[in-house]
Amino acid sequence: MDLRDSPEERALRKKVRAWLRRNVPRELRDGPGAEYGDPARIEAAKRWQRKLYEAGYVAMGWPREYGGQGADLRTQTIVNEELVRARAPSLIGMMGIQMVGPTLIQWGTEEQKRRFLPPILTAEEIWCQGYSEPGAGSDLASLQTRAELVGDEFVVNGQKIWTSNAQFADWMFCLVRTDPEAPKHRGISYLLVDMKSPGITVRPLVQMTGDAGFNEVFFEDVRVPRKNLVGELHDGWRVANSTLLHERNMLGSATRTRQLFDRLCRLARTRERNGRKAIEDPFVRQRLGDLFARVEALRLDSYRQLSEAVRGSTRPTAASMTKLVGTELNHEICALALELLGSYAPLTRRSRRAIDRGIWAWEFQFTLGMIIGGGTSQIQKNILAERGLGMPRG
């Protein structure tokens, strides 16, 4: 596949770049600059997503009838590259856009697609993920939250944990056990749950970043209409794996890694080491060179996946490889940033003396969590060993 821009693609890139130059909010550049649950931050993030959608640059590959543009993968890649270049903030509705949205396009009924997909694009409805439980994290199929079908409704009881965004989410895509007698990978169903339903209690959990991004969610006789079942009854594991595939690509996104690395380089140009700019120090340059080679390898692998997708083929282990490499690389980038900051490294966003708005201490802790979330690195290595290399199960 020729990855050089055609004349039409160059024109698109120029148009997107000009729009972003005029519209990216300066205060939202490079990620979170305010407290995670700050209502002002949430509203500003929703405004940004709506603006980007109205310009035609959100979920461009989705079918037109559901609010997308049916754009090809190359067009989406160009827009993503320009968003990175413009240091544009990530979208608050990413779980909807990159996880449940594509899952509904593959598995949802026509009624579900028309009801749920358009508000995802405009950030009118924010989604959270109801997968992990106190006894079911990486071993997700051990989940115990029950849903009993009574008439045309499921009655849900149980608990989810580590649920990002639940405190302000409108909907949850949720795994529940509907047949407790079946083997653990069967008897699971995939439900769409209105977070305003009676019987739902959300309790925020403060993370080591100081933010309350995660939550516990308790269900007590929560009623969910049967029409909110995605896929077949008791067959939610197959649907869930589609969502997990999209989640792993999202967590290990090459664009996110490139944004972090570019920011690290800007930091290295401003910090001093041994009497000169850090970026001129041989030791720092060697570290940056090592990281850059790996960032580029991740980017080129994403191009390989793009090329494969255009040809209609996919590697079953590609998402696991992206998640494993991307999340660990993000954490290493942040570790070098903290080294460059020296004694300023521990200062958080709450400190007036923090450099770079204290984002690096926050990112260092946040990226560690991303190595664990969505299946730990050990889980991804097991998948790669068994499904990619054909090694026997240990």
Side-chain angles (χ1 to χ4, degrees), residues 182-229:
K184 71 176 187 178
H185 288 87
R186 300 173 187 167
I188 292 172
S189 297
Y190 191 110
L191 299 181
L192 308 178
V193 181
D194 185 345
M195 290 297 286
K196 298 180 182 64
S197 302
I200 292 181
T201 302
V202 178
R203 191 160 66 189
L205 297 170
V206 178
Q207 304 155 224
M208 59 183 171
T209 60
D211 290 330
F214 289 141
N215 300 270
E216 293 176 292
V217 181
F218 299 89
F219 301 86
E220 184 175 354
D221 293 331
V222 175
R223 294 185 173 271
V224 179
R226 179 165 185 161
K227 66 180 182 180
N228 287 7
L229 170 71

Side-chain angles (χ1 to χ4, degrees), residues 135-202:
S138 291
D139 185 14
L140 181 59
S142 296
L143 64 92
Q144 295 298 316
T145 294
R146 292 281 306 276
E148 183 182 359
L149 188 57
V150 180
D152 287 333
E153 293 179 322
F154 292 95
V155 180
V156 181
N157 284 281
Q159 179 190 356
K160 298 293 178 180
I161 197 168
W162 314 127
T163 312
S164 302
N165 300 344
Q167 69 271 54
F168 58 84
D170 303 288
W171 287 87
M172 169 188 282
F173 49 98
C174 183
L175 293 182
V176 293
R177 188 161 297 284
T178 45
D179 183 357
E181 305 302 323
K184 71 176 187 178
H185 288 87
R186 300 173 187 167
I188 292 172
S189 297
Y190 191 110
L191 299 181
L192 308 178
V193 181
D194 185 345
M195 290 297 286
K196 298 180 182 64
S197 302
I200 292 181
T201 302
V202 178

Side-chain angles (χ1 to χ4, degrees), residues 44-70:
K46 287 184 174 182
R47 281 200 303 273
W48 164 243
Q49 182 170 322
R50 282 196 293 271
K51 192 168 192 176
L52 197 64
Y53 171 71
E54 289 166 1
Y57 300 138
V58 173
M60 300 176 70
W62 286 18
R64 290 181 182 277
E65 58 268 36
Y66 308 127
Q69 298 185 43

Side-chain angles (χ1 to χ4, degrees), residues 11-28:
L12 170 66
R13 191 181 293 279
K14 184 177 179 181
K15 176 184 173 186
V16 176
R17 189 172 297 181
W19 187 90
L20 290 170
R21 191 182 301 120
R22 293 193 304 271
N23 291 283
V24 172
R26 182 174 295 275
E27 69 277 10
L28 293 181

